[in-house]
Amino acid sequence: ETAVFQTPNYHVTQVGNEVSFNCKQTLGHDTMYWYKQDSKKLLKIMFSYNNKQLIVNETVPRRFSPQSSDKAHLNLRIKSVEPEDSAVYLCASSYTGFHERLFFGHGTKLSVL
Amino acid sequence: SQLAEENSWALSVHEGESVTVNCSYKTSITALQWYRQKSGKGPAQLILIRSNEREKRNGRLRATLDTSSQSSSLSITATRCEDTAVYFCATDGVGGSNYKLTFGKGTLLTVTP
């Protein structure tokens, strides 16, 4: 049962282009996250938002910027993609913080040519 | 460096057998969570075990936590082909942020008929 929705499922683009990924959760959660998963399945947190406020901003390149219009939506923009950005980007949410269960979307797979 | 880490990269069992995935972590925690990720999907939580708990069960799953050795295990009995997935342990973040869940590298479990 999916309650965290991500679009698109896949995106293929060229180096230097700008891309945006969308995420919406219908669970009424206060906190949302973006994780990056590489080809070896390694999951790394990128951003965390609590009630539209950025809480965690791991040292990701500046070309990545999260955008939140309300606590149910958290988008991710990559201004000028690089080959190393090829990965699966997973959006998640939880009631409060990380002490709780995280609910993940299915992910957006980005391929940079 | 990873704050949590599974001890095996891959495991393979036959359907009906039992299997255990182990995890070690490096810091004090509030809770440890086990997630499972099937192909093409986002991770889904299986069990959350708090630092004052030693064991937690969920159907065929049993998680243990040993805070003295900073280790946890997830056992699956009567495995099924649909248990084939990557299994992650995940722990609280440290260093000032309340909104970070750090995942281990994952163990690929393959259950064959």
Side-chain angles (χ1 to χ4, degrees):
Chain A
E1 184 180 340
T2 302
V4 180
F5 303 94
Q6 291 187 238
T7 56
N9 293 328
Y10 303 94
H11 190 84
V12 181
T13 190
Q14 294 185 331
V15 172
N17 285 349
E18 178 176 315
V19 299
S20 287
F21 305 145
N22 301 313
C23 180
K24 172 187 174 181
Q25 55 96 0
T26 59
L27 298 166
H29 289 169
D30 287 337
T31 307
M32 295 185 72
Y33 312 80
W34 278 108
Y35 278 82
K36 179 180 179 181
Q37 186 169 43
D38 64 19
S39 58
K40 296 182 179 179
K41 299 295 185 183
L42 192 62
L43 274 163
K44 286 190 176 179
I45 189 165
M46 301 176 70
F47 302 103
S48 171
Y49 262 82
N50 177 256
N51 269 324
K52 298 195 294 179
Q53 299 299 314
L54 180 64
I55 302 298
V56 170
N57 182 351
E58 296 300 292
T59 52
V60 299
R62 289 190 174 190
R63 60 181 180 275
F64 289 85
S65 59
Q67 299 165 323
S68 179
S69 57
D70 56 58
K71 70 177 188 178
H73 295 83
L74 182 63
N75 300 331
L76 181 66
R77 186 180 79 159
I78 312 174
K79 199 169 183 179
S80 176
V81 296
E82 298 287 339
E84 60 265 30
D85 298 337
S86 293
V88 175
Y89 292 86
L90 288 157
C91 176
S93 71
S94 65
Y95 276 113
T96 53
F98 65 98
H99 298 293
E100 307 293 332
R101 172 183 177 183
L102 263 61
F103 291 77
F104 282 87
H106 288 182
T108 293
K109 184 173 183 178
L110 174 66
S111 296
V112 181
L113 305 177
Chain B
S1 62
Q2 291 292 105
L3 297 179
E5 196 165 279
E6 297 79 7
N7 295 345
S8 300
W9 182 77
L11 296 170
S12 181
V13 297
H14 292 294
E15 201 170 23
E17 294 178 341
S18 297
V19 66
T20 297
V21 181
N22 295 303
C23 166
S24 57
Y25 58 92
K26 298 180 181 179
T27 63
S28 297
I29 61 171
T30 302
L32 183 144
Q33 301 184 46
W34 282 96
Y35 285 79
R36 174 171 67 188
Q37 184 177 24
K38 295 188 176 183
S39 180
K41 304 285 181 66
Q45 191 208 56
L46 299 173
I47 291 179
L48 184 154
I49 184 166
R50 302 196 185 277
S51 59
N52 62 349
E53 297 175 312
R54 291 297 168 256
E55 180 180 303
K56 201 86 170 276
R57 291 178 183 267
N58 179 9
R60 295 182 294 112
L61 309 176
R62 172 178 169 262
T64 65
L65 181 64
D66 184 341
T67 53
S68 63
S69 63
Q70 296 188 318
S71 64
S72 175
S73 69
L74 176 71
S75 297
I76 308 173
T77 57
T79 54
R80 304 167 182 167
C81 289
E82 53 262 39
D83 293 327
T84 294
V86 178
Y87 290 78
F88 296 95
C89 63
T91 57
D92 312 320
V94 295
S97 168
N98 286 326
Y99 297 94
K100 186 170 85 171
L101 190 66
T102 302
F103 285 77
K105 294 178 181 177
T107 293
L108 173 62
L109 172 66
T110 303
V111 182
T112 55

